[in-house]
């Protein structure tokens, strides 16, 4: 049975797993729950591999492969079908989501083995994969939006998984509402697109946009407005300035959730949507500049915060925000292929970092504060070596996956804007510093945990196996682009080039992997490029501070107290939002909408009518005394009044 004919099978498998475990899991054993959860995701991954094989056999005229299954919505002149599509971008995303998601499911069987909500956790995890796969496979923006909102719902459920903890429920609510702010812009963008083009299908909208002239720089026409509104949704889903604040708090969820949300699924949805909509953005230069600037500033902003965090998962959370900024920087300068390349390599090394962090936390009985770690490299060697591999990858060490994808982004940024390139290089140095700071505080130096209460131990095989697989991918995942270093072809960008064929020539040069003079084709220059040098400086600074002179960071923190407090307080953005947005809205809701309007006007009117009716009926009931003479008197009085009224009217 060809998978291309039955694309719905891929998202249906995890949905079936979620439904079965959600409905029947409470009465089943953990072994049965595990079999359903892992079985559904394993089959989904196998189906994605088979789809990739079948896709490779298609001729260029058959791509994108579009399959309509039924009419979904039909209202007046508007019609939206349940249509799925596959092209090169879809294949990459499917393999990343199903492959990394499958490894995270395997890891979770060990990490969550003793949790009382085992069945509920895997039902949520499977449901998350279903919505992400639906988002990726959708052939129109409306169906994509269903997956978009679905992953938002599942993030709320998984971040607030430990619902008895107030901090976890607060974090889930925060993620939900911040994403709704961005989604409001996304909805407006879809409505404007529908009113402009009369359709939300990729096949109907994007070719028409490609035939339109580019809007002048500095002019906000309809395409610029649509692009900016879509990007507003992306800033929420992919945690960019100013809507990034939900993602660090998402660490309240279990560590596998952090890996799934931050590596391969939800946070990459915004990058995927912008890349899928690249034709619209390329016709709107203002929007492209906004995407590039916001991405670059977010990357630098989050990296500076990550330098001083002490919670291991918080460091990785701000690292995710920063790396997503790199992806948007790539999209903003027209290097959409480079952005998706970094999305893929990031899924490998960031998924590995979170899972390795979970292994460290598991070894220390739940401890996440790096100040209470140290000296763990010999106690948990498998975790140490795999996490070191991921750290080298994210730092852009030559030969590791992050080296290829990050350098490609910065090369494209250098061609587009020197200031953006310079900030990107600075961010690369900060990334190396805070990641090796994490490694040195966790695995080197003296043991700072209580040996009598904590027995540091290596994780079980179910947790270590995914670490090893991801470590291999973190090393080798970028080598598909390696031939470009000696004048060959970047096979990843070459594979994606047909998707971005409508891009202008300047952007095609980047996404197709064509090396510029003195650029990535020069191997020696690539090995000693500015990002590599910046990464090396970040490593040596971290080593000098946290291995050679471990007392120096504390002294610097005391001598540079104002900037240190600013960074450790995360620029007090949450406090600013609370003062400028949250508390005024709470006051408005409490004093005006509730007490004044709801209680004063609406309840006052309803209660007033009830009170008048009650008092009137209370007086009228006195007429029903049961006294016959009283009734006769009232009848006579009524007759006199009625007769008088009729005579008066007749006169």
């Amino acid at each position: 049975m060809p998978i291309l004919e039955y694309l719905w099978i891929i998202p249906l498998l995890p949905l079936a797993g979620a439904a079965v475990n959600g409905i029947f899991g409470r009465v089943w054993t953990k072994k049965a729950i595990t079999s359903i959860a892992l079985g559904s995701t394993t089959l989904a991954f196998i189906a994605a591999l088979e789809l990739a094989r079948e896709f490779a056999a298609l001729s260029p005229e058959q791509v994108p492969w579009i399959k309509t299954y039924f009419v979904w919505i039909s209202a007046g002149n508007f019609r939206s079908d349940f249509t799925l599509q596959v092209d090169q971008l879809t294949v990459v995303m499917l393999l990343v989501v199903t492959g990394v998601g499958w490894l995270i499911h395997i890891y979770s069987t060990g990490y969550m083995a003793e949790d009382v909500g085992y069945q509920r956790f895997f039902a949520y995890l499977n449901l998350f994969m279903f919505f992400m796969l639906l988002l990726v496979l959708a052939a129109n923006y409306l169906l994509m939006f269903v997956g978009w909102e679905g992953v938002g719902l599942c993030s709320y459920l998984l971040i607030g998984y430990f619902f008895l903890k107030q901090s976890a429920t607060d974090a889930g609510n925060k993620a939900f509402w911040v994403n709704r702010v961005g989604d409001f812009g996304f909805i407006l963008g879809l409505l404007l697109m529908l009113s402009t083009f009369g359709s939300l299908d990729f096949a109907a909208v994007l070719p028409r946009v490609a035939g339109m002239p580019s809007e002048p720089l500095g002019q906000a026409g309809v395409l610029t407005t649509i692009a900016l509104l879509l990007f507003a949704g992306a800033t929420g889903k992919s945690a960019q300035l100013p809507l990034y604040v939900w993602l660090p708090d998402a660490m309240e969820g279990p560590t596998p959730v952090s890996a799934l949300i931050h590596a391969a699924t939800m946070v990459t949805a915004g990058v995927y949507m912008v890349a899928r909509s690249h034709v619209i953005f390329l016709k709107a230069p203002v929007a492209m500049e906004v995407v590039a600037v916001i991405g670059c500033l977010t990357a630098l902003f989050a990296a500076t915060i990550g330098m001083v965090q002490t919670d291991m998962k918080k460091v990785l959370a701000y690292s995710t925000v920063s790396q997503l900024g790199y992806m948007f920087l790539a999209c903003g300068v027209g290097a959409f292929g480079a952005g998706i390349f970094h999305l893929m390599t990031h899924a490998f090394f960031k998924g590995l970092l979170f899972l390795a962090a979970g292994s460290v936390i598991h070894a220390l009985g739940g401890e996440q504060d790096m100040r209470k770690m140290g000296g763990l490299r010999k106690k948990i060697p498998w975790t140490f070596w795999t996490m070191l591999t991921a750290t080298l990858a994210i730092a852009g060490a030559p030969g590791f996956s992050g080296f290829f994808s990050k350098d490609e982004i910065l090369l494209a940024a250098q061609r587009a804007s020197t200031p953006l390139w310079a900030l990107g290089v600075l961010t690369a140095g900060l990334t190396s510093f805070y990641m090796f700071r994490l490694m040195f505080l966790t695995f080197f130096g003296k043991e700072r945990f209580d040996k009598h209460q904590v027995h540091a131990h290596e994780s079980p095989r179910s947790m270590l196996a995914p670490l090893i697989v991801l470590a291999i991918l973190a090393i080798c995942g970028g080598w598909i682009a390696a031939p470009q270093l000696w004048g060959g072809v970047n096979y990843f960008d070459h594979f994606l080039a047909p998707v971005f064929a409508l891009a202008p020539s300047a952007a095609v040069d980047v996404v197709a992997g064509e090396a510029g003079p003195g650029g990535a084709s020069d191997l020696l220059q690539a090995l000693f490029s500015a990002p590599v040098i910046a990464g090396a400086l970040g490593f040596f600074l971290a080593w000098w501070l946290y291995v050679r002179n471990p007392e120096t960071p504390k002294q610097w923190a005391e001598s540079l107290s104002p900037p240190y407090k600013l960074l450790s307080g995360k620029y007090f953005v949450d406090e600013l939002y609370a003062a400028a947005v949250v508390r005024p809205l709470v006051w408005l809701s409490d004093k005006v909408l509730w007490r004044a309007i709801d209680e004063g006007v609406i309840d006052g009117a309803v209660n007033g009518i009830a009170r008048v009716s009650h008092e009137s009926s209370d007086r009228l009931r006195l007429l029903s005394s049961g006294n016959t003479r009283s009734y006769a008197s009232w009848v006579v009085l009524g007759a006199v009044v009625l007769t008088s009224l009729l005579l008066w009217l007749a006169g």
Side-chain angles (χ1 to χ4, degrees):
M1 180 180 66
I3 294 296
L4 281 171
E5 291 290 338
Y6 302 94
L7 294 173
W8 50 267
I9 288 177
I10 298 177
L12 181 67
L13 287 166
L15 177 62
V20 172
N21 273 335
I23 296 172
F24 305 108
R26 291 186 179 182
V27 297
W28 285 355
T29 63
K30 285 187 176 180
K31 186 176 181 180
I33 296 169
T34 302
S35 299
I36 295 296
L38 283 186
S40 62
T41 51
T42 302
L43 291 174
F45 181 44
I46 293 172
L49 291 173
E50 171 60 20
L51 180 139
R53 188 193 68 81
E54 294 177 11
F55 179 82
L58 294 178
S59 63
E61 295 76 20
Q62 294 176 291
V63 180
W65 178 273
I66 301 175
K67 194 72 176 176
T68 300
Y69 295 98
F70 56 86
V71 177
W72 177 31
I73 298 174
S74 180
N77 295 327
F78 175 73
R79 170 175 165 163
S80 182
D81 299 331
F82 186 87
T83 304
L84 305 180
Q85 78 166 36
V86 177
D87 60 7
Q88 290 83 352
L89 179 57
T90 311
V91 170
V92 171
M93 294 298 297
L94 282 178
L95 293 176
V96 169
V97 172
T98 57
V100 177
W102 174 60
L103 292 173
I104 292 170
H105 274 71
I106 296 173
Y107 178 94
S108 300
T109 61
Y111 191 87
M112 303 295 292
E114 304 302 322
D115 189 80
V116 295
Y118 193 80
Q119 158 260 347
R120 178 169 57 92
F121 177 81
F122 277 102
Y124 290 167
L125 218 59
N126 279 182
L127 188 64
F128 200 116
M129 278 195 65
F130 159 71
F131 280 119
M132 189 65 194
L133 291 171
L134 184 66
L135 186 156
V136 169
L137 282 165
N140 59 70
Y141 284 100
L142 193 58
L143 191 57
M144 175 194 279
F145 188 70
V146 174
W148 184 277
E149 289 300 293
V151 294
L153 168 66
C154 292
S155 70
Y156 165 76
L157 296 173
L158 287 167
I159 293 169
Y161 175 77
F162 298 119
F163 56 84
L164 295 180
K165 287 176 58 179
Q166 185 64 44
S167 58
T169 57
D170 288 345
N173 287 328
K174 186 175 184 180
F176 188 83
W177 286 112
V178 172
N179 273 274
R180 297 293 76 70
V181 175
D183 292 350
F184 179 69
F186 194 6
I187 293 171
L188 292 179
L190 297 188
L191 292 175
L192 181 56
M193 184 187 301
L194 179 62
S195 66
T196 304
F197 301 104
S199 176
L200 293 176
D201 294 342
F202 300 151
V205 173
L206 300 182
R208 287 185 59 186
V209 174
M212 299 172 65
S214 297
E215 295 179 349
L217 187 64
Q219 177 178 326
V222 64
L223 294 180
T224 300
T225 306
I226 291 174
L228 291 176
L229 289 172
L230 294 179
F231 182 61
T235 59
K237 198 67 68 184
S238 295
Q240 297 295 284
L241 289 171
L243 300 179
Y244 73 95
V245 291
W246 67 270
L247 192 143
D249 289 3
M251 297 300 99
E252 290 291 340
T255 299
V257 172
S258 303
L260 188 65
I261 291 177
H262 293 188
T265 55
M266 178 174 170
V267 295
T268 61
V271 181
Y272 167 76
M273 184 270 291
V274 171
R276 176 63 71 194
S277 310
H278 69 280
V279 178
I280 299 174
F281 282 86
L282 288 169
K283 295 293 183 177
V286 172
M288 290 287 284
E289 286 195 355
V290 170
V291 172
V293 171
I294 292 294
C296 186
L297 293 180
T298 302
L300 179 61
F301 179 84
T304 58
I305 298 176
M307 293 168 56
V308 299
Q309 298 302 304
T310 56
D311 185 307
M312 174 181 281
K313 288 177 67 176
K314 285 290 181 70
V315 174
L316 297 180
Y318 282 105
S319 171
T320 298
V321 176
S322 182
Q323 296 304 306
L324 289 166
Y326 270 118
M327 299 175 205
F328 281 110
L329 171 61
C331 293
V333 297
F336 297 98
I340 297 299
F341 189 24
H342 197 58
L343 183 155
M344 183 187 75
T345 60
H346 177 264
F348 300 151
F349 60 69
K350 184 52 63 66
L352 175 55
L353 284 170
F354 271 111
L355 296 186
S359 183
V360 173
I361 295 167
H362 179 269
L364 296 179
E367 183 60 65
Q368 296 183 195
D369 192 335
M370 297 183 297
R371 295 171 297 184
K372 299 178 182 179
M373 298 181 183
L376 290 173
R377 70 182 185 278
K378 293 183 179 180
K379 294 184 179 296
I380 48 174
W382 286 98
T383 301
F384 165 69
W385 286 109
T386 53
M387 196 167 193
L388 177 61
T389 301
T391 301
L392 290 168
I394 193 175
F400 292 80
S401 59
F403 164 75
F404 297 100
S405 58
K406 188 182 293 184
D407 270 27
E408 189 174 346
I409 291 173
L410 292 175
L411 175 62
Q414 186 178 22
R415 293 171 176 172
S417 169
T418 301
L420 293 179
W421 170 80
L423 293 178
V425 171
L426 174 60
T427 303
L430 297 180
T431 301
S432 178
F433 170 78
Y434 68 66
M435 285 308 307
F436 280 105
R437 170 180 176 266
L438 181 150
M439 290 296 298
F440 293 141
L441 285 174
T442 303
F443 295 101
F444 291 80
K446 62 181 180 179
E447 298 174 356
R448 297 182 295 277
F449 52 89
D450 191 340
K451 300 178 186 177
H452 300 290
Q453 296 184 2
V454 176
H455 174 62
H457 57 285
E458 191 61 275
S459 299
R461 292 180 181 178
S462 60
M463 295 173 63
L464 291 179
L467 299 187
I468 295 170
V469 174
L470 287 171
I472 295 171
L473 292 172
I475 297 172
C476 305
W479 279 89
I480 192 172
Q484 185 178 3
L485 295 179
W486 45 82
V489 176
N490 181 330
Y491 289 105
F492 185 86
D493 284 348
H494 182 74
F495 176 71
L496 285 181
V499 178
F500 305 116
L502 296 176
S505 58
V508 171
D509 289 344
V510 178
V511 300
E514 298 178 10
S521 62
D522 188 338
L523 177 59
L524 188 62
Q525 184 173 346
L527 294 176
F528 294 95
S529 62
V532 174
I533 294 173
L537 291 175
F539 163 78
F540 283 114
L541 180 59
W543 173 82
W544 187 79
L545 287 175
Y546 294 97
V547 176
R548 186 68 181 271
N549 302 285
E551 298 300 322
T552 303
K554 184 177 180 181
Q555 297 171 359
W556 282 15
E558 293 174 353
S559 61
L560 301 172
S561 181
Y564 179 81
K565 288 182 178 179
L566 182 66
L567 294 179
S568 61
K570 297 162 285 190
Y571 293 100
F572 303 103
V573 173
D574 284 304
E575 290 78 3
L576 177 62
Y577 282 175
V581 179
V582 178
R583 283 197 288 270
L585 283 177
V586 171
W587 180 89
L588 178 67
S589 301
D590 180 28
K591 303 298 183 182
V592 179
L593 298 179
W594 174 28
R595 300 188 185 279
I597 297 178
D598 191 16
E599 286 189 339
V601 178
I602 300 175
D603 287 354
V606 173
N607 294 336
I609 293 172
R611 186 169 55 253
V612 170
S613 300
H614 179 271
E615 292 176 354
S616 301
S617 61
D618 194 48
R619 287 179 172 78
L620 289 174
R621 72 181 179 83
L622 298 176
L623 299 178
S624 301
S625 62
N627 189 318
T628 306
R629 293 177 60 187
S630 176
Y631 292 162
S633 300
W634 283 111
V635 169
V636 172
L637 179 61
V640 170
V641 171
L642 181 60
T643 303
S644 300
L645 180 61
L646 292 173
L647 292 173
W648 179 74
L649 290 174

